[in-house]
Amino acid sequence: MAKKKRSKFNRFIKKSQRAKRKVAGHSHQPLLFPKGFLWGTSTSSHQVEGNNTNNDWWAWEHGRGKKRVAEPSGAAANQYELYENDFDIIADMHNNAHRLSIEWSRIEPEEGQWNWIEVEHYRKVLQALKKRNIKVMLTLHHFTNPIWLAKQGGWEQRRTAELFARYAEFIAEHLGEYVDFWITINEPLVYVSESYMLGKWPPAKKSIWKTAKVFFTMARAHRLAYREIHAEMHKQHRIARVGIAKNVVSLVSYRKKFIDYVYVRVSEYVWNNFFFSRTRGTHDYLGVNYYFHNRVKRDKGGKLVFVDVRQEDRDRSDLGWEIYAPGLFDVLLELQRYGLPIYITENGLAAINDHKRTRFIVAHVKELYHAIKAGMDVRGYFHWSLLDNYEWDKGFEPRFGLIAVDYETQKRTIRPSARVYARICEENAITHEILRYLGHGAHEEDS
Ligand code: BGC
């Protein structure tokens, strides 16, 4: 049976790759996306709102002792006040969707106490999107935790799953009418590994045991929240589409060695699939954050390492991450086994050089086009990020935004890449003239 399934999967891969080669031929026709395809951008509360003083990240940024972050988040991009202005830009970019997150520590500043002023604030934020005809994708947990929760032991304690599900239910009850797509947890594996394995993010532990414990608590929290949101939306006679945003990596074996290949497949399973398989049956769609393509090999000690991209002289972002658009096609192919619709919930790069961002967007969106042509059910693309923001421990230096932010004045400046993205969204297609940005110097006419 497993053999039969595998050969079916292999046939599908071959067919997809053939289709990709076929559509790659030269033609002046626009590369059209399906009607209703979602075009948007993504942000998260702590990275853009500013003054999120009641969560564990803020405490971490201001903790005494050795320097843990490049700089504190402070007022960030002050989207807490400037959201109307930012949403006007979204509408001008012809986006029909937007992904943002709710800050748990604002809504529930102490255990069991709900802050109605903040509930009303988020109501206005979500209404502002709806007024502009923008579909809402709402994340409930994007790396930050209320301080009261962190003090209890955060995700290391089992009951956090129940506390999270109760918060999810509360948001569904009071703000659910504005939400088209729910993301319970953003990148559980990134959170777990940065905070409990590598010890770089709060609470900065380095323990395999705790890593596993937190992983399982998060998986349970997702399952419980999925059920609560569905139950509440059912009561309101609304459709609930619930998922997570999963960081998915494209991995290849650097050398043609069987044992390296096995290593790759195992890592792929653990990083890309394990959370999905632990939470099977509780995803209405798959949310994919795609940033990484890594070439893997074993070093002399038998340890699995990523080949340094600088040594390879590959195209890379300001953070040194390799830029490899076909990897997006590959991970989508890998996720076909779940038979669920897919949304790209994040994809982007840190780049001062905005030409690079333009090429990046066109190249990645083109991979989506090929994936759809090959029969994959991809329904939306959310670029990370709408505007420059607080990149966690790295501070404000990495520039991920389609919109540049001057943090002194909070002035927004639309980058040329945003105009190219806006044209793709407006046309719901990559036109031949936009394709020309691949491999050519971009924005000649804009400079
Ligand atoms: C996270 C974002 C982050 C982005 C770029 C994603 O993993 O969800 O919060 O800013 O990557 O590093």
Side-chain angles (χ1 to χ4, degrees), residues 44 47 99 142-143 186-187 190 201 247 289 291-292 319 321 346 384 389-392 394 400:
S44 90
Q47 292 178 271
R99 176 180 167 215
H142 198 122
F143 299 154
N186 178 68
E187 299 189 339
V190 171
W201 289 359
N247 182 295
N289 292 359
Y291 290 97
F292 298 114
L319 289 174
W321 302 352
E346 283 182 39
W384 184 275
N389 59 48
Y390 185 65
E391 179 57 19
W392 307 111
K394 299 181 189 70
F400 273 92

Side-chain angles (χ1 to χ4, degrees), residues 19 69 102 113 157 184 187 197 219 226 239 259 298 335 359 379 406 425 440:
V69 290
I102 284 230
Q113 282 176 26
Q157 62 169 354
T184 55
E187 299 189 339
M197 207 156 83
Y226 178 93
I239 298 172
I259 184 73
R298 279 170 318 124
L335 296 173
R359 281 201 303 278
R379 300 194 185 173
D406 175 340
C425 304
H440 294 274

Side-chain angles (χ1 to χ4, degrees), residues 95-223:
N95 286 186
N96 55 8
H98 182 57
R99 176 180 167 215
L100 73 171
S101 78
I102 284 230
E103 181 59 37
W104 186 359
S105 61
R106 285 190 189 270
I107 296 286
E108 193 178 358
E110 291 298 334
E111 185 178 344
Q113 282 176 26
W114 306 109
N115 183 332
W116 294 100
I117 296 174
E118 295 291 4
V119 174
E120 285 318 303
H121 167 76
Y122 282 113
R123 183 184 308 285
K124 284 195 211 122
V125 171
L126 300 177
Q127 280 173 342
L129 286 167
K130 290 280 139 184
K131 227 169 50 200
R132 290 165 179 79
N133 232 343
I134 307 244
K135 289 222 178 338
V136 171
M137 183 176 266
L138 191 70
T139 310
L140 296 173
H141 185 273
H142 198 122
F143 299 154
T144 56
N145 300 298
I147 286 181
W148 59 263
L149 183 75
K151 279 193 182 147
Q152 290 180 11
W155 293 89
E156 286 167 54
Q157 62 169 354
R158 197 177 148 78
R159 76 186 274 268
T160 294
E162 275 79 18
L163 293 171
F164 178 72
R166 190 187 58 180
Y167 152 66
E169 184 196 4
F170 178 84
I171 299 294
E173 184 183 345
H174 297 285
L175 298 171
E177 64 187 287
Y178 309 108
V179 181
D180 299 283
F181 297 88
W182 299 86
I183 289 182
T184 55
I185 301 174
N186 178 68
E187 299 189 339
L189 264 95
V190 171
Y191 175 74
V192 168
S193 48
E194 295 286 337
S195 299
Y196 290 92
M197 207 156 83
L198 304 171
K200 275 169 43 189
W201 289 359
K205 308 256 167 98
K206 286 187 186 177
S207 146
I208 287 290
W209 163 241
K210 287 192 170 141
T211 301
K213 208 168 165 197
V214 170
F215 173 91
F216 288 112
T217 307
M218 284 195 142
R220 205 163 70 82
H222 166 76
R223 292 195 302 265

